Amino acid sequence: MSFLWALIVGGIIGWLAGLITGRDVPGGIIGNIIAGFIGSWLGSAIFGSFGPAVGGFAIIPAIIGSIILVLIVSFIMRKMRGNHKHA
């Protein structure tokens, strides 16, 4: 049950990061979950674990890390699409 809770919270964190940045996370719901998990790891590695924790995620660093991840992924995706147009 805790794994299911972590998936739900990870998906919500990834979805919030997409909303805050105004960019869609590639992959829909699965992309949101992945962005939430990787973003929370990134945020915890950079900022530590502070603030409230839900489903094993420290919420504030997780959201900040997910925002960073969404911005990086959207930048890379935009560059990749730009390269295909010129080829």
Side-chain angles (χ1 to χ4, degrees):
M1 185 67 173
S2 64
F3 180 70
L4 179 63
W5 185 243
L7 287 176
I8 292 169
V9 173
I12 291 171
I13 289 170
W15 174 72
L16 282 173
L19 280 179
I20 292 169
T21 60
R23 300 183 177 162
D24 290 331
V25 176
I29 293 171
I30 302 298
N32 283 336
I33 293 170
I34 292 169
F37 271 92
I38 296 174
S40 67
W41 172 81
L42 180 67
S44 294
I46 295 171
F47 303 108
S49 295
F50 64 91
V54 177
F57 298 102
I59 298 297
I60 296 169
I63 292 174
I64 294 170
S66 295
I67 289 170
I68 293 168
L69 181 68
V70 167
L71 290 173
I72 290 170
V73 168
S74 66
F75 175 77
I76 291 170
M77 297 297 285
R78 188 172 353 116
K79 289 297 182 185
M80 288 176 64
R81 276 189 234 123
N83 289 340
H84 290 299
K85 290 180 183 176
H86 297 350

